[in-house]
Amino acid sequence: MYSNHYKYVSEIINQGLEKAELDGVLIYSGHAHNYFLDDMPYAFACNPHFKWMVPVTETPHCIIHYRLNAKPVLYMFQPQDYWHSLPKMVEGDWTAFFEIIAIGCKEDVPDFSNLKNHCWVGQADSCEYDNLQHNPKVYMDYVHFHRACKTDYEIENIRQANVLALKGHNAALQCFQKGYSEFETHMAYMLATQHNEHQLPYGNIIAQNENGAVLHYQHMQRNRLSKDDLKSFLIDAGCSVNGYASDITRTYSLVDNEFSEMIKAVEKMQIAIGKRAVVGVSYIDLHKQAHHMLADILKDFDVITCDAQTAHDSGLSNVFFPHGLGHYLGLQVHDCGGHQNDENGTILSPPELHPFLRLTRTLQENNVLTIEPGIYFIDMLLNKAKANSRDMGKYINWSRVNDFKPYGGIRIEDNIVVKAENPVNLTRI
Ligand code: GLY
Ligand code: MN
Ligand code: MN
């Protein structure tokens, strides 16, 4: 599988280099930065361009030297260091595609200052060479546009990242049913997935009750709620496999009630909209369709009184669904290129009514994306709508809002591979 992946990646890089009139590229894995006034580093996050080629995700200071028509060289950082354990020397199918040279310190890195017609792809402060173009736009736009189509190797890694995350989700659900705290639930997820915090593709969102209304809730309360107080649970958590992410959300009600019925309704529309992620569809249209379907649910539950079109056009549906339907997924949880309309870097901005939509493109075969609609009861947005009671606020049934507010919100999120027909849902397996 990797060999086909390599073939695709190297074709894209070759074409990107030719378009930018370059002969080669140095791709840097990256390095960690220290906190201000401190000798402790922030967690290391590998350059996605690096891990696209080489599934070594936790080793800083490595460099791939890729040239047109030559076997690439991987300078693999193997420091003489008694403070940390050595990064593992590498193995796997992919190693056959590289000449691999261990470097123990900076002095072992070849002098690149005489390289002609090369660029450097890496984080902001990482390029020490005046002769190298740093992240040239023409090359980056080309690669980012085409990186959105995933190879079988990439899809398999994302699938495995789903399998692993679902183990964590199962463990977390059991914690909720036993009345454990948010923090205990988080720890159970970490144990079940065998991830460290820095290996997660994003910080776990583990939210009970009203905390589910905070889109990226981050605190993880240490205390358990009493059985009488505990109502709902929203978990948004993924895993990483070979540098590829999963991004999954589920919402639960402790007992069968109106809120559990609303969850079922959102899940039904979420599955339906996931099936519409086929080649040639505009993701903006899917997002708008999601607004209409969620507005229908809000009306069915008597939370709003107007029809879906009015809810959408007046901005009312944004009060309850204030984020995008989803985003590209892969080497980054929000994989880049979602607003890039072509390989020349033309940007297709989100519509004015939907500024947070991260994906505006027309879908292509083997794009991998999330479908994550939600309904939330967020004080800040509800208060604004109330202040606007002559306009959209007049369509809100406030007593119903009060009924649902203690449950926080609902989000259901799956990872989907776009196909000409029958998109593949990697999360429901
Ligand atoms: N977990 C972040 C997101 O769903 O986009
Ligand atoms: Mn997501
Ligand atoms: Mn998510």
Side-chain angles (χ1 to χ4, degrees):
M1 240 185 214
Y2 179 84
S3 70
N4 283 339
H5 173 69
Y6 181 83
K7 192 160 169 275
Y8 179 76
V9 170
S10 57
E11 271 167 21
I12 299 302
I13 294 180
N14 290 348
Q15 288 157 10
L17 288 174
E18 278 163 17
K19 196 154 185 281
E21 298 182 352
L22 293 165
D23 298 329
V25 50
L26 293 157
I27 304 174
Y28 178 55
S29 68
H31 59 256
H33 290 278
N34 285 351
Y35 307 150
F36 183 50
L37 300 180
D38 209 322
D39 61 0
M40 288 292 115
Y42 291 102
F44 170 68
C46 185
N47 175 356
H49 286 252
F50 184 91
K51 56 184 184 164
W52 192 37
M53 290 206 101
V54 166
V56 172
T57 59
E58 302 207 18
T59 310
H61 304 295
C62 300
I63 300 170
I64 301 167
H65 185 185
Y66 184 95
R67 283 157 296 171
L68 294 172
N69 309 316
K71 187 172 189 176
V73 182
L74 169 61
Y75 295 99
M76 181 70 203
F77 189 49
Q78 292 276 286
Q80 298 294 309
D81 176 358
Y82 55 83
W83 295 94
H84 306 101
S85 80
L86 276 182
K88 280 197 272 320
M89 212 34 198
V90 289
E91 51 189 31
D93 296 358
W94 65 270
T95 55
F97 293 82
F98 297 83
E99 183 188 342
I100 300 177
I101 297 175
I103 48 173
C105 59
K106 233 176 156 187
E107 287 65 41
D108 291 346
V109 180
D111 180 6
F112 295 123
S113 59
N114 292 320
L115 276 180
K116 300 257 181 314
N117 277 337
H118 270 62
C119 66
W120 173 276
V121 171
Q123 65 205 53
D125 60 351
S126 63
C127 182
E128 296 172 3
Y129 304 96
D130 292 339
N131 56 313
L132 303 178
Q133 296 180 41
H134 192 185
N135 301 331
K137 186 169 173 350
V138 172
Y139 174 83
M140 302 299 272
D141 284 344
Y142 190 87
V143 169
H144 287 166
F145 183 76
H146 291 288
R147 221 184 73 191
C149 294
K150 303 298 191 233
T151 62
D152 289 347
Y153 160 86
E154 296 182 285
I155 291 169
E156 183 54 27
N157 281 322
I158 300 169
R159 184 195 304 280
Q160 292 304 331
N162 268 265
V163 170
L164 197 52
L166 288 169
K167 274 193 195 171
H169 275 252
N170 275 338
L173 174 57
Q174 285 172 34
C175 290
F176 170 58
Q177 286 164 341
K178 289 181 191 154
Y180 288 7
S181 70
E182 292 173 349
F183 185 71
E184 288 170 306
T185 307
H186 167 66
M187 295 311 286
Y189 183 93
M190 304 306 279
L191 194 59
T193 58
Q194 295 284 288
H195 270 45
N196 262 328
E197 301 263 356
H198 75 272
Q199 293 167 326
L200 294 171
Y202 56 94
N204 282 348
I205 299 164
I206 308 257
Q208 296 177 352
N209 293 5
E210 294 92 341
N211 295 335
V214 182
L215 298 183
H216 285 171
Y217 173 73
Q218 72 278 37
H219 289 308
M220 295 173 195
Q221 282 179 2
R222 277 31 175 194
N223 60 302
R224 294 184 182 186
L225 297 179
S226 73
K227 273 273 177 208
D228 288 341
D229 289 338
L230 186 60
K231 292 179 170 53
S232 62
F233 173 46
L234 184 156
I235 171 169
D236 182 345
C239 281
S240 305
V241 169
N242 287 327
Y244 288 85
S246 55
D247 180 9
I248 303 172
T249 310
R250 293 289 180 263
T251 309
Y252 304 97
S253 175
L254 197 59
V255 296
D256 289 340
N257 56 13
E258 278 195 312
F259 186 66
S260 65
E261 290 305 311
M262 191 183 270
I263 294 172
K264 278 187 209 154
V266 173
E267 180 156 36
K268 192 166 165 221
M269 70 69 74
Q270 188 263 355
I271 291 171
I273 212 135
K275 291 183 176 159
R276 298 182 194 172
V278 294
V279 174
V281 159
S282 151
Y283 197 80
I284 296 177
D285 288 347
L286 284 188
H287 175 79
K288 287 183 181 166
Q289 288 168 31
H291 268 267
H292 281 78
M293 293 158 94
L294 290 166
D296 282 339
I297 293 173
L298 288 164
K299 186 147 191 244
D300 288 346
F301 282 82
D302 208 16
V303 176
I304 63 172
T305 55
C306 62
D307 61 78
Q309 191 68 46
T310 309
H312 173 267
D313 296 349
S314 64
L316 176 61
S317 53
N318 286 339
V319 173
F320 298 94
F321 177 39
H323 60 75
L325 177 63
H327 48 83
Y328 278 150
L329 175 74
L331 289 160
Q332 299 153 280
V333 62
H334 301 148
D335 231 13
C336 58
H339 290 165
Q340 207 180 307
N341 207 26
D342 60 30
E343 62 189 31
N344 300 319
T346 313
I347 295 297
L348 182 54
S349 300
E352 216 174 309
L353 249 183
H354 305 286
F356 299 117
L357 186 56
R358 289 191 171 96
L359 177 50
T360 54
R361 275 166 68 165
T362 299
L363 302 184
Q364 295 168 288
E365 177 114 16
N366 294 331
N367 285 174
V368 177
L369 48 80
T370 68
I371 295 285
E372 49 180 304
I375 291 179
Y376 310 87
F377 298 88
I378 301 172
D379 275 329
M380 186 185 114
L381 301 180
L382 290 165
N383 289 341
K384 270 196 193 162
K386 205 170 218 167
N388 200 352
S389 60
R390 270 190 302 162
D391 202 356
M392 61 156 109
K394 68 182 176 219
Y395 300 122
I396 297 178
N397 186 345
W398 294 102
S399 80
R400 296 297 285 153
V401 165
N402 288 338
D403 290 342
F404 285 106
K405 244 165 85 167
Y407 298 89
I410 299 169
R411 179 163 66 255
I412 315 276
E413 177 174 26
D414 288 346
N415 304 164
I416 307 284
V417 189
V418 175
K419 296 287 176 191
E421 48 189 30
N422 300 326
V424 179
N425 187 323
L426 298 173
T427 314
R428 296 179 192 264
I429 34 186

